[in-house]
Amino acid sequence: MCDEAGARRIGRGAAEGLFTGGRVLVAHASLTARRLGLQPPARSPDVMDVLELFAFVRPARFCAPSPTGLALGLGLAEPKSVEAQAERLHEAATLLLKELAAAAYPGREEAYALALTLERAGWAWGAAAVRALERGGVRQRQHRGAGLDVWSRLTEWEDEAPRGEAGSAPVDSESARIRLDKLLQASGLDETRPTQSDYAAEAAFAFSPRNEEGRPRVLLAEAGTGTGKTLGYLAPASLWAERNQGAAWVSTYTRALQRQIDRESGAVWPDPAERRKKAVIRKGRENYLCVLNLQDMVQAAQLGNGDLIGLALAGRWAIHSRDGDMTGGDFPGWLPSLFAVAPSQQAGPANLVDRRGECVHAACPHYRACFVEKTIRASRKADLVIANHALVLTQAAFDGARSARGQQQDGETAALKRIVFDEGHHLFDAADSAFSACLSGQEAAELRRWIRGPEGRGRRGRGLEQRLGDLTGGNEAAAKALQDAMRAAAALPGEGVSGRIAPASGEVNPIGPIEAFLAAALDQLRARTADTPYGGAEFGMECALKPVTEPVAEAARAAARALAAIEAPLLTLARTLEDILDDEAAELDGSQRSRIEGALRGLDRRARMTLPGWRSMLAALEEAGAEPDPDFVDWLSAETAFGRIHDVALRRHWIDPTVPLEAAVIVPAHGVLVTSATLSDPLQDDPFDLARLRTGSARLIEPPRTLKVDSPFDYAANSRVIVVNDLMKDDPRQTAAAMRELFLAAGGGGLGLFTAIRRLKAVYERLGPDLARAGLPLYAQHVDPLEVGALVDMFRVEENACLLGTDAVRDGVDVPGRSLRVLAFDRVPWPRPDLLHKARRERLGGKGYDDAIARARMAQAFGRLIRRADDKGVFLMLDAAAPTRLFASLPPGTEVQRLGLADAVEQVRDFLGG
């Protein structure tokens, strides 16, 4: 608590009373409420969240969502105690209001109009923001807008002539070294590290011209932490783009690395304006603000149906955003979660991006201001496109299918000829996701919505008729196909499918052939997994598809007929639209052509990829005696949450997803660099054998080159590796006690990694109060009301905070310095032995395959611990059964010690000086 007398401690009861019945200043109201054991509060004039004020005053500017994050974001001294944090909240609010009041505050009139609207809407900061802006001087106007119509003030894109095919000028090793020297000088570094220079020289191979079609230049390069691989490959990549007037693509697995690469590209293009043109972050459509969705929600909120304050702040962000990216860009991901707002009304990515493919393209009134269209066009002119594996692989699969039919690629990845796959150890998993098929209740319901539009009361969205009705009105064949598709889609599941096929009451009531099939599939699942209490199973249920029960086989036939009845008119509609593009080319204006091309992309994905894939899986069920396809695994699964089944699915995955990866991405490219700090496996006869298998390069006509560059860090001096050998790993009380003592010994800075969410939550409940009493904040994925990126941001800025998480945290943490000094696995991160993994293990290496995956996960986690030459850290495994062979992937110089908990705690304390 902080008042005129300064900060002072109060009891929990007093804090609860103040929070629920007084006027309080907080940083993240929902998180604060959770810490007090309260429900997230609704917005009120009495709960003043300084983060909302920050979002208003500094839109699209970074801030970790905590008192410390606010202090550092505003240039204040880091608060080292809870009392100091309370005082910083007051200082932060005061500073932000002073900033608003300054005469030089940019966009004052725009901010004032919005502040007046927010004051009328009951925003806790409304009156203070209005007064502050008035102190700085505002024009007197008889009529002033509400400031909500941000869509009218966004900049618009303009078309430019095509860039043309990239050239084939080579990049030699020496040129790459010279370019690297210049980049390092631009970054303020005096000299090149020899290993970094060697890496850049070898990476140039991927940017040399290929000599034959189908023989790309492929390099698998492992670069230990601290090598400087980002600038190492940006040197030849930027040189190639400059010489050949083309775009080099860099693909990552995590959003955090996308942002890091974008920052480091500042060494290539120091001028921010030039960098915005030369380096473009590219993601899938579902990551960007849909301006039409924002307008729809704002208008509904003005009529009393929605969160007007949250939407206004999101709109203010949109005006100042670099590129409209809501998932890892400059959107404050914590903004929608500050107060209790119904999920359907939250002003965040869940409602404001186009997740369902409902874009109307050129028919949208905001088409020329569309962030997605801006980014696509910017990437066509860029020298460096920073994408992610999911976009690159799914778009390559789509483009490949279009090319096979003789159709033109849509331009998003048509220039994908030089690719760097950073975080290349994730390429296998990304391909697995991109080239798989899933017929589930939720997926089928999404298809129904895409075709028919929203059918529930008060739901937003646009069906095919809304998107295409005016285009097909004058064409009888197209109009009939559209209506036939609308009628046939009624056979698909509607909203609430899980409540009909897996109701809590047990009274199953499927509607339509797809739901009937899923209900029969669930019966088979229950019969084949009777020994598993699915209600409490963390990972749900799964069973092999065959032998299939007769009810499933019979229902599959009816489901396949229903899908075929949907597919046929969609194909007819697609062909008719293609004919319109061809036959009426002279009459169509640019807007009409763009709309038809956009509609065709959506139709292609569903009528020529999704629906045939679903029908193929169902057809396999009729072949009772046939041998299963050796290339695929088909199975049934059910997902559970809170003890209830919320979806049932028929799934098909490639056993080796690098087969389509190679065909769709690797072979068509001219040069590919796959790089990571953890590509090789030291216990293999050839350390890169598994990397070749898991990147699709093992089957290439021209074998890939390989490179291994060791880290320059002194791990023997700066790290310790300990296996705690006196714990029962299945007892969350012992795990919690161990993490408590280890984190306290280090004085915080602890990261706990778990292989199961259930154990994470059990440990969190026991660990949180003890750390809080010691003044160490504890955050947790799957517990705190924040997405992973925001949790990591808080962990990074609060030097003594601790964090619990699963795989997403392990992969997304980049925390140099003391904020991460202890990393503890609750147990060996073995791959989960599900049906798909067992099939892959048999195909790709037996038990050694399990070992290799676990070794790689441990190495990746260890790489999070030491990020700079002066970092010190302790890596712990709280699993006495951890085999020594799994530690072989850790860097040279590390030595594994097996100690009891008391000795481990003592060593952590002595080594880190906690």
Side-chain angles (χ1 to χ4, degrees):
M1 179 177 176
C2 188
D3 53 25
E4 293 181 0
R8 57 190 174 88
R9 290 179 180 263
I10 59 175
R12 178 167 180 158
E16 291 177 10
L18 187 62
F19 192 79
T20 55
R23 194 168 176 82
V24 294
L25 207 62
V26 297
H28 208 295
S30 289
L31 186 61
T32 304
R34 195 193 186 288
R35 293 287 187 268
L36 293 172
L38 303 172
Q39 292 297 313
R43 277 203 184 84
S44 80
D46 290 329
V47 181
M48 306 182 72
D49 199 315
V50 186
L51 288 170
E52 276 202 326
L53 181 61
F54 185 95
F56 180 87
V57 178
R58 295 190 175 187
R61 300 270 291 276
F62 172 76
C63 173
S66 68
T68 301
L70 276 164
L72 296 178
L74 292 169
L76 301 172
E78 179 184 354
K80 298 291 188 180
S81 66
V82 290
E83 291 87 353
Q85 289 179 8
E87 291 173 352
R88 290 295 182 275
L89 277 183
H90 270 273
E91 291 178 39
T94 301
L95 186 62
L96 287 167
L97 291 171
K98 283 183 178 178
E99 193 170 320
L100 274 185
Y105 185 75
R108 173 177 303 281
E109 293 296 319
E110 170 192 298
Y112 184 61
L114 186 61
L116 288 171
T117 299
L118 290 174
E119 182 184 24
R120 290 192 294 271
W123 187 38
W125 294 102
V130 168
R131 289 195 301 270
L133 288 163
E134 287 175 344
R135 284 199 300 273
V138 292
R139 298 189 195 124
Q140 296 300 314
R141 295 184 179 180
Q142 187 173 0
H143 301 290
R144 193 183 297 273
L148 295 169
D149 58 340
V150 296
W151 42 86
S152 66
R153 286 174 275 136
L154 294 171
T155 58
E156 297 186 346
W157 52 264
E158 294 182 359
D159 260 333
E160 294 187 12
R163 192 177 194 178
E165 187 76 18
S168 298
V171 176
D172 60 273
S173 297
E174 190 56 32
S175 296
R177 291 183 192 272
I178 293 170
R179 171 58 63 94
L180 177 61
D181 285 339
K182 292 180 179 178
L183 298 187
L184 291 169
Q185 290 170 13
S187 300
L189 302 173
D190 296 331
E191 60 181 26
T192 307
R193 286 164 278 182
T195 53
Q196 187 181 28
S197 182
D198 292 343
Y199 177 90
E202 290 293 326
F205 173 71
F207 297 92
S208 58
R210 66 180 184 180
N211 294 326
E212 293 182 40
E213 184 181 10
R215 294 194 173 199
R217 305 285 195 174
V218 178
L219 173 66
L220 306 180
E222 177 174 291
T225 305
T227 300
K229 63 179 167 60
T230 303
L231 284 183
Y233 60 65
L234 285 182
S238 62
L239 197 56
W240 178 87
E242 185 180 297
R243 290 178 177 178
N244 293 287
Q245 298 300 298
W249 283 61
V250 177
S251 178
T252 76
Y253 188 71
T254 62
R255 298 164 185 163
L257 185 56
Q258 276 188 296
R259 295 196 298 269
Q260 178 186 323
I261 294 168
D262 180 53
R263 288 194 299 270
E264 294 206 35
S265 70
V268 186
W269 302 287
D271 177 53
E274 183 184 19
R275 180 157 62 96
R276 279 194 292 272
K277 295 179 180 178
K278 295 288 190 179
V280 174
I281 295 178
R282 183 73 184 90
K283 298 182 180 181
R285 181 175 293 271
E286 68 280 359
N287 292 279
Y288 297 92
L289 172 71
C290 171
V291 185
L292 186 56
N293 281 353
L294 176 64
Q295 181 182 16
D296 287 349
M297 289 192 70
V298 166
Q299 290 174 344
Q302 285 178 296
L303 298 174
N305 183 27
D307 176 23
L308 184 63
I309 293 170
L311 289 163
L313 293 173
R316 183 155 168 76
W317 159 80
I319 288 287
H320 294 84
S321 174
R322 169 181 168 177
D323 55 10
D325 180 2
M326 299 195 80
T327 61
D330 51 21
F331 179 74
W334 38 261
L335 186 60
S337 64
L338 296 181
F339 292 95
V341 177
S344 62
Q345 296 181 349
Q346 286 186 353
N351 296 311
L352 292 176
V353 304
D354 175 22
R355 292 191 182 279
R356 298 185 171 93
E358 296 174 340
C359 180
V360 295
H361 300 281
C364 177
H366 312 302
Y367 180 63
R368 297 196 65 84
C370 174
F371 287 111
V372 177
E373 295 296 330
K374 287 178 188 175
T375 305
I376 291 173
R377 283 161 175 76
S379 69
R380 292 172 182 167
K381 299 177 292 182
D383 282 7
L384 181 69
V385 179
I386 308 166
N388 53 57
H389 297 350
L391 170 70
V392 169
L393 300 189
T394 54
Q395 190 62 40
F398 177 62
D399 281 349
R402 288 174 68 91
S403 296
R405 294 191 301 272
Q407 294 174 294
Q408 184 178 358
Q409 296 180 7
D410 73 358
E412 290 194 42
T413 58
L416 203 117
K417 302 303 180 187
R418 305 286 175 173
I419 318 168
V420 176
F421 285 110
D422 203 338
E423 297 181 305
H425 57 277
H426 284 300
L427 196 52
F428 185 93
D429 294 328
D432 181 40
S433 177
F435 299 109
S436 60
C438 171
L439 170 55
S440 72
Q442 297 299 329
E443 291 288 330
E446 283 295 322
L447 178 58
R448 175 178 176 137
R449 181 185 173 110
W450 183 82
I451 296 172
R452 293 175 62 91
E455 297 171 290
R457 292 180 59 185
R459 294 188 176 274
R460 296 179 303 103
R462 295 166 286 277
L464 269 183
E465 192 168 37
Q466 286 178 280
R467 301 198 298 273
L468 297 178
D470 61 322
L471 288 175
T472 60
N475 186 299
E476 185 176 339
K480 182 179 184 303
L482 178 57
Q483 292 306 314
D484 288 347
M486 297 278 289
R487 282 191 294 271
L492 292 167
E495 296 288 340
V497 54
S498 62
R500 293 187 294 276
I501 63 175
S505 66
E507 297 179 9
V508 180
N509 182 33
I511 299 175
I514 310 301
E515 290 190 17
F517 166 74
L518 295 173
L522 182 55
D523 285 342
Q524 178 173 323
L525 272 162
R526 285 171 165 156
R528 304 280 167 83
T529 57
D531 295 334
T532 302
Y534 68 85
E538 183 168 353
F539 300 109
M541 294 185 288
E542 67 170 25
C543 76
L545 190 58
K546 293 186 176 180
V548 65
T549 65
E550 182 55 37
V552 169
E554 184 177 342
R557 286 189 284 271
R561 288 193 296 270
L563 294 177
I566 301 167
E567 183 182 329
L570 289 181
L571 285 172
T572 299
L573 180 58
R575 286 191 289 265
T576 306
L577 291 176
E578 289 164 357
D579 290 342
I580 291 173
L581 279 180
D582 188 22
D583 299 339
E584 302 177 20
E587 291 83 19
L588 292 173
D589 61 30
S591 173
Q592 291 171 317
R593 175 173 291 277
S594 177
R595 285 182 63 193
I596 293 174
E597 289 173 346
L600 281 172
R601 285 196 292 271
L603 287 166
D604 275 352
R605 287 185 187 276
R606 291 158 181 86
R608 288 174 169 144
M609 296 177 72
T610 300
L611 282 165
W614 288 355
R615 287 199 302 107
S616 175
M617 289 192 290
L618 292 169
L621 295 178
E622 297 190 39
E623 304 165 7
E627 289 293 320
D629 191 318
D631 290 328
F632 296 98
V633 178
D634 291 355
W635 77 99
L636 299 173
S637 70
E639 296 178 8
T640 62
F642 305 107
R644 292 186 58 183
I645 293 170
H646 65 85
D647 205 6
V648 179
L650 168 61
R651 299 180 180 275
R652 167 172 287 181
H653 283 239
W654 285 83
I655 292 179
D656 183 358
T658 67
V659 173
L661 168 66
E662 177 199 14
V665 182
I666 307 295
V667 169
H670 291 218
V672 178
L673 168 61
V674 181
T675 189
S676 167
T678 54
L679 273 185
S680 68
D681 185 345
L683 296 192
Q684 302 278 335
D685 292 337
D686 182 331
F688 282 92
D689 269 352
L690 189 60
R692 292 187 188 93
L693 282 174
R694 289 176 63 87
T695 59
S697 59
R699 293 178 299 273
L700 293 175
I701 299 171
E702 186 173 318
R705 287 190 182 183
T706 59
L707 171 70
K708 181 174 171 62
V709 179
D710 289 332
S711 169
F713 297 156
D714 185 352
Y715 290 103
N718 291 357
S719 68
R720 296 290 183 268
V721 179
I722 300 171
V723 176
V724 179
N725 59 14
D726 58 354
L727 299 176
M728 290 181 61
K729 66 181 180 182
D730 293 323
D731 185 349
R733 292 172 299 178
Q734 291 195 32
T735 303
M739 287 192 177
R740 177 192 66 217
E741 296 306 318
L742 292 165
F743 292 173
L744 289 173
L751 173 62
L753 292 176
F754 292 79
T755 56
I757 298 170
R758 172 178 46 82
R759 291 197 299 274
L760 181 155
K761 291 180 175 179
V763 168
Y764 175 86
E765 294 301 327
R766 292 171 172 83
L767 186 59
D770 292 338
L771 293 186
R773 281 190 287 273
L776 304 182
L778 178 65
Y779 304 108
Q781 182 192 10
H782 303 294
V783 175
D784 288 320
L786 288 160
E787 45 93 24
V788 171
L791 289 172
V792 173
D793 288 339
M794 293 162 70
F795 180 61
R796 183 184 296 111
V797 302
E798 299 181 30
E799 188 174 278
N800 296 329
C802 298
L803 175 64
L804 307 182
T806 55
D807 287 352
V809 171
R810 182 192 71 216
D811 296 329
V813 169
D814 182 21
V815 181
R818 277 184 54 80
S819 290
L820 174 53
R821 49 194 182 271
V822 174
L823 188 151
F825 269 106
D826 77 318
R827 59 178 61 191
V828 173
W830 295 113
R832 187 159 60 94
D834 54 24
L835 290 168
L836 180 59
H837 175 74
K838 287 190 284 187
R840 287 178 176 159
R841 178 170 59 194
E842 184 177 348
R843 175 78 60 89
L844 300 174
K847 292 182 179 179
Y849 184 65
D850 285 346
D851 281 5
I853 290 176
R855 269 196 297 272
R857 290 175 177 174
M858 290 164 59
Q860 290 150 23
F862 184 89
R864 306 291 99 190
L865 188 60
I866 307 294
R867 307 299 290 170
R868 301 189 309 211
D870 58 348
D871 278 359
K872 293 180 70 175
V874 181
F875 180 94
L876 295 123
M877 180 67 68
L878 308 184
D879 184 347
T884 300
R885 66 182 183 276
L886 297 185
F887 295 88
S889 59
L890 302 190
T894 55
E895 179 183 343
V896 180
Q897 302 177 73
R898 294 181 179 270
L899 304 172
L901 177 60
D903 290 336
V905 168
E906 190 64 29
Q907 183 155 150
V908 167
R909 184 179 292 111
D910 292 344
F911 183 65
L912 297 176

